[in-house]
Amino acid sequence: MRQKGRATIVDVAAEAGVSVTTVSHVLSGRRPVSAATRARVEDVVRRLGYQADPSARGLRTQRTRLLGLVVPDITNPFNAELAAGLQEAALARDYLTVVCETPKEPSRVRAVMRQLTARRIDGLVLGRYATGEGVLDPLLATGAPVVRLGGRLDAGPGDVVHAAETEGMRDLVRHLVRDRGYRRIGFIGGARGAEPGGERHRGYREALAEAGLAVPEELVAWTDFTREGGRAGAARLLAAAEPPDAIVCANDLIAIGALDTARASGLPVPGRVAITGYDDIEAAALVSPALTTVLNPAREIGRTAARLLADRLDGEDRGPARELLLAHRLVRRESA
């Protein structure tokens, strides 16, 4: 009789009257087994409640089937959607995800990378910020593939998955100029030098230059990718001697904070000043007025990153590093 406790593969084999190897073939599906034997083994697996031990499998295969996701702020709804998409696609390929938050301080990033490397993650998805020279070296030395969520393909290791940040902001500013008639347009970004704020700022400048409009340096504010950052940035721009008639923000959280400031100042939106966001998080459609923004497909970016890693790890993609560009879309609502 099987001893009380968690069922093992040996218990399943004994109960089904087959070898441990046959049970392994049934569970993995990688070797042919007769239909009758498969049905008998699967029935025993169900009755005993057997579950494979991933740590034991990892010792045999030298794989943990763990994928890491490193982002600068897990409270940002965009990153939550990204993680959900990553996990969804990873589970479909029998991988589990580990989500880590690392603010941009190199020491924090290094500490997280050390822990992920020590836990032998199979692959890494890396969010958009500078990691510092050599931070990824211990992980890369293990052969783990990396997917970066933006930046140039030749600027770092691994594959790249993202939507077109510069083009998305350019489309948004063109809409404000051509379709809405705004002429004095301000910009609020995250911390200076932090991506994707820089790429979105570039799209803002390019669209203004294309329209023959001034690029007003006094109407550019660098803060944080947060609601509080948006409040502070909007207060600065609206206090200018010649305030803007529209403000584009580097993400929706900043834009929601800018709406707070406009409301507190008694300025109607868009009657006195238009405000736009970027990313199209769920809250963008729920605030009043609902935000005009750019859809940045967070969930699909996560799914695509997971599939890229799984293809690399499972030997289905042995080609050179590649960049996958997903579609963005202008979302017109009430705020502009």
Coordinates of all heavy atoms in Angstrom, one line a residue, residues 101-178:
E101 N 10.2 44.2 -8.6 CA 10.3 45.7 -8.8 C 11.7 46.2 -8.4 O 12.2 45.8 -7.4 CB 9.2 46.3 -7.9 CG 9.3 47.9 -7.9 CD 8.3 48.5 -7.0 OE1 8.6 48.4 -5.7 OE2 7.3 49.1 -7.4
T102 N 12.3 46.9 -9.3 CA 13.5 47.5 -9.0 C 13.6 49.0 -9.5 O 13.6 49.3 -10.6 CB 14.7 46.8 -9.7 OG1 14.5 46.8 -11.1 CG2 14.8 45.4 -9.3
P103 N 13.5 49.9 -8.5 CA 13.7 51.3 -8.9 C 15.1 51.4 -9.6 O 15.9 50.5 -9.5 CB 13.7 52.0 -7.5 CG 12.9 51.1 -6.6 CD 13.2 49.7 -7.1
K104 N 15.3 52.6 -10.2 CA 16.4 52.7 -11.1 C 17.8 52.7 -10.4 O 18.8 52.7 -11.1 CB 16.3 54.0 -11.9 CG 16.3 55.3 -11.1 CD 16.1 56.5 -12.0 CE 16.1 57.7 -11.2 NZ 15.9 58.9 -12.1
E105 N 17.9 52.7 -9.1 CA 19.2 52.7 -8.5 C 20.0 51.4 -8.8 O 19.4 50.3 -8.6 CB 19.1 52.8 -6.9 CG 18.5 54.1 -6.4 CD 17.0 54.1 -6.4 OE1 16.4 53.2 -6.9 OE2 16.5 55.1 -5.8
P106 N 21.2 51.5 -9.4 CA 21.9 50.3 -9.8 C 22.1 49.3 -8.7 O 22.0 48.1 -9.0 CB 23.2 50.9 -10.3 CG 22.9 52.3 -10.7 CD 21.9 52.8 -9.7
S107 N 22.2 49.7 -7.5 CA 22.5 48.7 -6.4 C 21.2 47.9 -6.2 O 21.4 46.6 -6.0 CB 22.8 49.5 -5.1 OG 21.7 50.3 -4.7
R108 N 20.0 48.4 -6.4 CA 18.8 47.6 -6.2 C 18.7 46.7 -7.4 O 18.3 45.5 -7.2 CB 17.6 48.6 -6.2 CG 17.5 49.5 -4.9 CD 17.1 48.7 -3.7 NE 15.7 48.2 -3.9 CZ 14.6 48.9 -3.7 NH1 14.7 50.1 -3.3 NH2 13.4 48.3 -3.9
V109 N 19.0 47.2 -8.6 CA 18.9 46.3 -9.8 C 19.9 45.1 -9.6 O 19.5 44.0 -9.9 CB 19.2 47.1 -11.0 CG1 19.1 46.2 -12.3 CG2 18.2 48.3 -11.2
R110 N 21.1 45.4 -9.2 CA 22.1 44.4 -9.0 C 21.7 43.3 -8.0 O 21.9 42.1 -8.2 CB 23.4 45.0 -8.6 CG 24.1 45.8 -9.7 CD 25.4 46.4 -9.2 NE 26.0 47.3 -10.1 CZ 26.7 46.9 -11.2 NH1 27.0 45.6 -11.4 NH2 27.2 47.8 -12.0
A111 N 21.0 43.8 -6.9 CA 20.6 42.8 -5.9 C 19.5 41.9 -6.4 O 19.6 40.7 -6.2 CB 20.0 43.6 -4.7
V112 N 18.6 42.4 -7.2 CA 17.5 41.6 -7.8 C 18.1 40.6 -8.8 O 17.8 39.4 -8.8 CB 16.5 42.5 -8.4 CG1 15.5 41.6 -9.3 CG2 15.6 43.2 -7.3
M113 N 19.1 41.1 -9.6 CA 19.7 40.2 -10.6 C 20.5 39.1 -9.9 O 20.5 38.0 -10.4 CB 20.6 41.0 -11.5 CG 19.9 42.0 -12.4 SD 18.7 41.1 -13.5 CE 17.8 42.5 -14.2
R114 N 21.1 39.4 -8.8 CA 21.9 38.3 -8.1 C 20.9 37.3 -7.6 O 21.2 36.1 -7.7 CB 22.6 38.9 -6.9 CG 23.9 39.6 -7.3 CD 24.8 39.8 -6.0 NE 24.1 40.6 -5.0 CZ 24.2 41.9 -4.9 NH1 24.9 42.6 -5.7 NH2 23.5 42.5 -3.9
Q115 N 19.8 37.7 -7.1 CA 18.8 36.7 -6.6 C 18.2 35.9 -7.7 O 18.0 34.7 -7.5 CB 17.7 37.5 -5.8 CG 18.2 38.1 -4.5 CD 18.7 37.0 -3.5 OE1 18.2 35.9 -3.5 NE2 19.6 37.4 -2.7
L116 N 17.8 36.6 -8.8 CA 17.2 35.8 -9.9 C 18.2 34.8 -10.5 O 17.9 33.7 -10.8 CB 16.8 36.8 -11.0 CG 15.6 37.6 -10.6 CD1 15.3 38.7 -11.7 CD2 14.3 36.8 -10.4
T117 N 19.5 35.2 -10.6 CA 20.5 34.3 -11.1 C 20.7 33.1 -10.1 O 20.8 32.0 -10.6 CB 21.8 35.1 -11.3 OG1 21.6 36.2 -12.2 CG2 22.9 34.1 -11.9
A118 N 20.7 33.4 -8.8 CA 20.9 32.3 -7.8 C 19.8 31.3 -7.9 O 20.0 30.1 -7.6 CB 21.0 32.9 -6.4
R119 N 18.6 31.8 -8.2 CA 17.4 30.9 -8.3 C 17.3 30.3 -9.7 O 16.3 29.6 -10.0 CB 16.1 31.7 -7.9 CG 16.0 31.9 -6.4 CD 15.1 33.0 -6.0 NE 15.0 33.1 -4.6 CZ 15.9 33.5 -3.7 NH1 17.0 34.0 -4.2 NH2 15.7 33.6 -2.4
R120 N 18.2 30.5 -10.5 CA 18.4 29.8 -11.8 C 17.2 30.0 -12.7 O 16.6 29.1 -13.2 CB 18.7 28.3 -11.6 CG 19.9 28.1 -10.8 CD 20.1 26.6 -10.4 NE 19.9 25.7 -11.5 CZ 18.9 24.8 -11.4 NH1 18.2 24.6 -10.3 NH2 18.7 23.9 -12.4
I121 N 16.7 31.3 -12.8 CA 15.6 31.5 -13.7 C 16.1 31.2 -15.1 O 17.3 31.3 -15.5 CB 15.1 33.0 -13.7 CG1 16.2 34.0 -14.1 CG2 14.5 33.3 -12.4 CD1 15.7 35.3 -14.5
D122 N 15.1 30.7 -16.0 CA 15.5 30.3 -17.3 C 15.6 31.4 -18.3 O 16.3 31.3 -19.3 CB 14.4 29.3 -17.8 CG 14.6 27.9 -17.2 OD1 15.6 27.6 -16.6 OD2 13.6 27.1 -17.2
G123 N 14.8 32.5 -18.0 CA 14.9 33.7 -19.0 C 14.3 34.9 -18.3 O 13.7 34.8 -17.2
L124 N 14.6 36.1 -18.8 CA 14.3 37.3 -18.2 C 13.6 38.3 -19.2 O 14.1 38.4 -20.3 CB 15.6 38.0 -17.7 CG 15.5 39.4 -17.0 CD1 14.7 39.3 -15.7 CD2 16.8 40.0 -16.8
V125 N 12.6 39.0 -18.7 CA 12.0 40.1 -19.4 C 12.4 41.4 -18.6 O 12.1 41.5 -17.4 CB 10.5 40.0 -19.5 CG1 9.9 41.2 -20.2 CG2 10.1 38.7 -20.3
L126 N 13.0 42.3 -19.3 CA 13.6 43.5 -18.6 C 12.8 44.8 -19.0 O 12.7 45.1 -20.2 CB 15.0 43.6 -19.0 CG 15.8 44.7 -18.2 CD1 15.9 44.4 -16.7 CD2 17.3 44.7 -18.8
G127 N 12.3 45.5 -18.0 CA 11.6 46.7 -18.2 C 12.5 47.8 -18.7 O 13.7 47.7 -18.8
R128 N 11.9 49.0 -19.0 CA 12.5 50.1 -19.7 C 13.2 51.1 -18.8 O 12.7 52.1 -18.3 CB 11.5 50.9 -20.5 CG 10.8 50.1 -21.6 CD 11.8 49.7 -22.7 NE 12.6 50.8 -23.1 CZ 12.2 51.7 -23.9 NH1 11.1 51.7 -24.5 NH2 13.1 52.7 -24.3
Y129 N 14.5 50.8 -18.4 CA 15.3 51.8 -17.7 C 16.7 51.3 -17.8 O 17.0 50.1 -18.0 CB 14.8 52.0 -16.3 CG 14.7 50.7 -15.5 CD1 15.8 50.3 -14.7 CD2 13.6 49.9 -15.6 CE1 15.7 49.1 -14.0 CE2 13.5 48.8 -14.9 CZ 14.5 48.3 -14.1 OH 14.4 47.1 -13.4
A130 N 17.6 52.2 -17.5 CA 19.0 51.8 -17.6 C 19.4 50.9 -16.4 O 19.1 51.1 -15.3 CB 19.9 53.1 -17.6
T131 N 20.1 49.8 -16.7 CA 20.5 48.9 -15.7 C 21.9 49.1 -15.2 O 22.4 48.6 -14.2 CB 20.4 47.4 -16.2 OG1 21.2 47.3 -17.4 CG2 18.9 47.1 -16.5
G132 N 22.7 49.8 -16.0 CA 24.1 50.0 -15.7 C 25.0 48.9 -16.3 O 24.6 47.8 -16.4
E133 N 26.2 49.3 -16.5 CA 27.1 48.4 -17.2 C 27.4 47.2 -16.3 O 27.7 47.3 -15.2 CB 28.4 49.1 -17.5 CG 29.4 48.3 -18.4 CD 30.6 49.1 -18.8 OE1 30.6 50.3 -18.6 OE2 31.6 48.5 -19.3
G134 N 27.3 46.0 -16.9 CA 27.6 44.8 -16.3 C 26.6 44.2 -15.4 O 26.8 43.1 -14.8
V135 N 25.5 44.8 -15.2 CA 24.4 44.3 -14.3 C 23.9 43.0 -14.7 O 23.6 42.1 -13.9 CB 23.3 45.4 -14.1 CG1 22.1 44.8 -13.5 CG2 23.7 46.6 -13.4
L136 N 23.7 42.8 -16.0 CA 23.2 41.5 -16.5 C 24.2 40.4 -16.7 O 23.8 39.3 -17.0 CB 22.5 41.8 -17.8 CG 21.2 42.6 -17.8 CD1 20.7 42.8 -19.2 CD2 20.1 42.0 -16.9
D137 N 25.5 40.8 -16.5 CA 26.5 39.8 -16.9 C 26.4 38.4 -16.2 O 26.5 37.4 -16.8 CB 27.9 40.4 -16.6 CG 28.3 41.5 -17.6 OD1 27.5 41.6 -18.6 OD2 29.3 42.1 -17.4
P138 N 26.1 38.4 -14.8 CA 26.0 37.1 -14.2 C 24.9 36.2 -14.8 O 25.1 35.0 -14.9 CB 25.8 37.5 -12.7 CG 26.3 38.8 -12.6 CD 26.1 39.5 -13.9
L139 N 23.8 36.9 -15.1 CA 22.7 36.1 -15.7 C 23.0 35.7 -17.1 O 22.8 34.5 -17.4 CB 21.4 37.0 -15.7 CG 20.2 36.3 -16.3 CD1 19.7 35.2 -15.4 CD2 19.0 37.3 -16.5
L140 N 23.6 36.6 -17.9 CA 23.9 36.2 -19.3 C 24.9 35.1 -19.3 O 24.9 34.3 -20.2 CB 24.4 37.4 -20.0 CG 23.4 38.6 -20.2 CD1 24.1 39.8 -20.8 CD2 22.3 38.1 -21.1
A141 N 25.8 35.0 -18.3 CA 26.8 34.0 -18.3 C 26.2 32.6 -18.1 O 26.8 31.6 -18.5 CB 27.8 34.2 -17.1
T142 N 25.0 32.5 -17.6 CA 24.3 31.2 -17.5 C 23.6 30.8 -18.8 O 23.2 29.6 -18.9 CB 23.2 31.3 -16.4 OG1 22.1 32.1 -16.9 CG2 23.7 31.9 -15.1
G143 N 23.6 31.7 -19.8 CA 23.0 31.4 -21.1 C 21.5 31.7 -21.1 O 20.9 31.4 -22.1
A144 N 21.0 32.3 -20.1 CA 19.6 32.6 -20.0 C 19.3 33.7 -21.1 O 19.9 34.7 -21.1 CB 19.2 33.1 -18.7
P145 N 18.2 33.5 -21.9 CA 17.9 34.5 -22.9 C 17.2 35.7 -22.2 O 16.6 35.6 -21.1 CB 16.9 33.8 -23.8 CG 16.3 32.7 -23.0 CD 17.4 32.3 -22.0
V146 N 17.3 36.9 -22.8 CA 16.7 38.1 -22.3 C 15.8 38.7 -23.4 O 16.1 38.7 -24.6 CB 17.8 39.1 -21.9 CG1 17.2 40.5 -21.6 CG2 18.6 38.6 -20.7
V147 N 14.7 39.3 -23.0 CA 13.8 40.1 -23.8 C 13.7 41.5 -23.2 O 13.4 41.6 -22.0 CB 12.4 39.5 -24.0 CG1 11.5 40.5 -24.7 CG2 12.5 38.2 -24.8
R148 N 14.1 42.5 -23.9 CA 14.0 43.9 -23.4 C 12.7 44.5 -24.0 O 12.4 44.3 -25.1 CB 15.2 44.7 -23.9 CG 16.5 44.3 -23.2 CD 17.7 45.1 -23.7 NE 18.1 44.7 -25.0 CZ 18.2 45.6 -26.0 NH1 17.9 46.8 -25.8 NH2 18.6 45.2 -27.2
L149 N 12.1 45.3 -23.2 CA 10.8 46.0 -23.6 C 11.1 47.4 -24.1 O 10.6 48.4 -23.6 CB 9.9 46.0 -22.4 CG 9.5 44.6 -21.8 CD1 8.6 44.7 -20.7 CD2 9.0 43.7 -22.9
G150 N 11.9 47.4 -25.2 CA 12.1 48.7 -25.8 C 13.6 49.0 -26.0 O 14.5 48.2 -25.5
G151 N 13.9 50.0 -26.6 CA 15.3 50.4 -26.9 C 15.7 49.8 -28.3 O 15.0 49.0 -28.9
R152 N 16.9 50.2 -28.7 CA 17.4 49.7 -30.0 C 17.9 48.3 -29.8 O 18.5 47.9 -28.8 CB 18.6 50.6 -30.5 CG 18.2 52.0 -30.7 CD 19.4 52.8 -31.4 NE 20.7 52.3 -31.0 CZ 21.4 52.8 -30.0 NH1 20.8 53.8 -29.2 NH2 22.6 52.4 -29.7
L153 N 17.8 47.5 -30.9 CA 18.2 46.1 -30.9 C 19.7 46.0 -30.6 O 20.1 45.1 -29.9 CB 17.8 45.5 -32.2 CG 18.1 43.9 -32.3 CD1 17.2 43.2 -31.3 CD2 17.7 43.5 -33.7
D154 N 20.5 46.9 -31.1 CA 21.9 46.8 -31.0 C 22.4 47.4 -29.7 O 23.6 47.5 -29.4 CB 22.6 47.4 -32.2 CG 22.3 48.9 -32.3 OD1 21.6 49.5 -31.5 OD2 22.9 49.5 -33.3
A155 N 21.5 47.9 -28.8 CA 21.9 48.6 -27.6 C 22.0 47.7 -26.4 O 22.4 48.2 -25.3 CB 21.0 49.8 -27.3
G156 N 21.8 46.4 -26.5 CA 21.8 45.5 -25.4 C 21.6 44.1 -25.8 O 21.5 43.8 -27.0
P157 N 21.6 43.2 -24.9 CA 21.5 41.8 -25.2 C 20.0 41.4 -25.5 O 19.1 42.1 -25.1 CB 21.9 41.1 -23.9 CG 21.5 42.1 -22.8 CD 21.7 43.4 -23.4
G158 N 19.9 40.3 -26.2 CA 18.6 39.7 -26.4 C 17.7 40.3 -27.4 O 18.0 41.2 -28.2
D159 N 16.4 39.8 -27.4 CA 15.4 40.3 -28.3 C 14.7 41.5 -27.7 O 14.9 41.8 -26.5 CB 14.3 39.2 -28.5 CG 14.9 37.9 -29.1 OD1 15.4 38.0 -30.2 OD2 14.8 36.9 -28.4
V160 N 14.0 42.3 -28.5 CA 13.3 43.5 -28.1 C 11.8 43.4 -28.5 O 11.5 43.0 -29.7 CB 13.9 44.7 -28.8 CG1 13.2 46.0 -28.3 CG2 15.4 44.9 -28.3
V161 N 10.9 43.7 -27.6 CA 9.5 43.7 -27.9 C 8.9 45.1 -27.4 O 9.1 45.5 -26.3 CB 8.7 42.6 -27.2 CG1 7.2 42.7 -27.5 CG2 9.2 41.3 -27.6
H162 N 8.3 45.8 -28.3 CA 7.7 47.1 -27.8 C 6.7 47.6 -28.9 O 6.7 47.1 -30.0 CB 8.8 48.1 -27.5 CG 9.6 48.5 -28.7 ND1 9.8 49.8 -29.1 CD2 10.3 47.8 -29.6 CE1 10.6 49.9 -30.1 NE2 10.9 48.7 -30.5
A163 N 6.0 48.7 -28.6 CA 5.3 49.4 -29.6 C 6.1 50.7 -29.9 O 7.1 51.0 -29.2 CB 3.9 49.8 -29.1
A164 N 5.8 51.4 -31.0 CA 6.6 52.5 -31.4 C 6.3 53.7 -30.6 O 5.3 54.4 -30.8 CB 6.3 52.8 -32.9
E165 N 7.2 54.0 -29.6 CA 6.9 55.1 -28.7 C 7.0 56.5 -29.4 O 6.1 57.3 -29.2 CB 8.0 55.1 -27.6 CG 8.2 53.7 -26.9 CD 7.1 53.4 -26.0 OE1 6.2 54.2 -25.8 OE2 7.2 52.3 -25.4
T166 N 8.0 56.7 -30.2 CA 8.1 58.0 -30.8 C 7.0 58.3 -31.8 O 6.4 59.4 -31.8 CB 9.5 58.1 -31.6 OG1 10.5 58.0 -30.6 CG2 9.7 59.5 -32.3
E167 N 6.7 57.3 -32.6 CA 5.6 57.4 -33.6 C 4.2 57.6 -32.9 O 3.4 58.4 -33.4 CB 5.6 56.2 -34.5 CG 6.7 56.1 -35.4 CD 8.0 55.5 -34.7 OE1 8.0 55.3 -33.5 OE2 9.0 55.3 -35.5
G168 N 4.0 56.9 -31.8 CA 2.8 57.1 -31.0 C 2.5 58.5 -30.5 O 1.5 59.1 -30.7
M169 N 3.6 59.1 -30.0 CA 3.5 60.5 -29.5 C 3.3 61.4 -30.6 O 2.6 62.4 -30.6 CB 4.6 60.8 -28.6 CG 4.5 62.2 -28.0 SD 3.0 62.5 -27.0 CE 3.6 61.7 -25.4
R170 N 4.0 61.1 -31.7 CA 3.9 62.0 -32.9 C 2.5 62.0 -33.4 O 1.9 63.1 -33.8 CB 4.9 61.5 -34.0 CG 5.3 62.6 -35.0 CD 6.5 62.2 -35.7 NE 6.5 60.9 -36.3 CZ 7.5 60.1 -36.4 NH1 8.7 60.4 -36.0 NH2 7.4 58.9 -37.0
D171 N 1.8 60.8 -33.5 CA 0.4 60.7 -33.9 C -0.5 61.6 -33.0 O -1.4 62.2 -33.4 CB 0.0 59.3 -33.9 CG 0.6 58.5 -35.0 OD1 1.2 59.1 -35.9 OD2 0.5 57.2 -35.0
L172 N -0.2 61.5 -31.7 CA -1.0 62.2 -30.7 C -0.9 63.7 -30.9 O -1.9 64.5 -30.9 CB -0.6 61.8 -29.3 CG -1.4 62.5 -28.1 CD1 -2.9 62.2 -28.3 CD2 -0.8 61.9 -26.8
V173 N 0.3 64.2 -31.0 CA 0.5 65.7 -31.2 C 0.0 66.1 -32.5 O -0.6 67.2 -32.6 CB 2.0 66.0 -31.0 CG1 2.2 67.5 -31.3 CG2 2.5 65.7 -29.6
R174 N 0.1 65.3 -33.6 CA -0.5 65.7 -34.9 C -2.0 65.9 -34.7 O -2.6 66.8 -35.3 CB -0.2 64.6 -35.9 CG 1.2 64.6 -36.5 CD 1.5 63.4 -37.3 NE 2.8 63.4 -37.9 CZ 3.4 62.3 -38.4 NH1 2.8 61.1 -38.3 NH2 4.5 62.4 -39.0
H175 N -2.6 65.0 -34.0 CA -4.1 65.1 -33.7 C -4.4 66.4 -33.0 O -5.4 67.1 -33.4 CB -4.5 63.9 -32.9 CG -5.9 64.1 -32.2 ND1 -7.1 64.1 -33.0 CD2 -6.3 64.2 -30.9 CE1 -8.1 64.2 -32.2 NE2 -7.6 64.3 -30.9
L176 N -3.6 66.8 -32.0 CA -3.9 68.0 -31.3 C -3.8 69.2 -32.3 O -4.6 70.2 -32.2 CB -3.0 68.2 -30.2 CG -3.1 67.2 -29.0 CD1 -2.0 67.5 -28.0 CD2 -4.5 67.3 -28.4
V177 N -2.8 69.2 -33.1 CA -2.5 70.3 -34.0 C -3.5 70.4 -35.2 O -4.1 71.4 -35.5 CB -1.0 70.3 -34.5 CG1 -0.8 71.4 -35.6 CG2 -0.1 70.4 -33.4
R178 N -3.6 69.2 -35.9 CA -4.3 69.2 -37.2 C -5.8 69.1 -36.9 O -6.6 69.8 -37.6 CB -3.9 68.0 -38.0 CG -2.5 68.1 -38.5 CD -2.1 66.8 -39.3 NE -0.7 66.8 -39.7 CZ -0.2 65.7 -40.3 NH1 -0.9 64.7 -40.6 NH2 1.1 65.8 -40.7

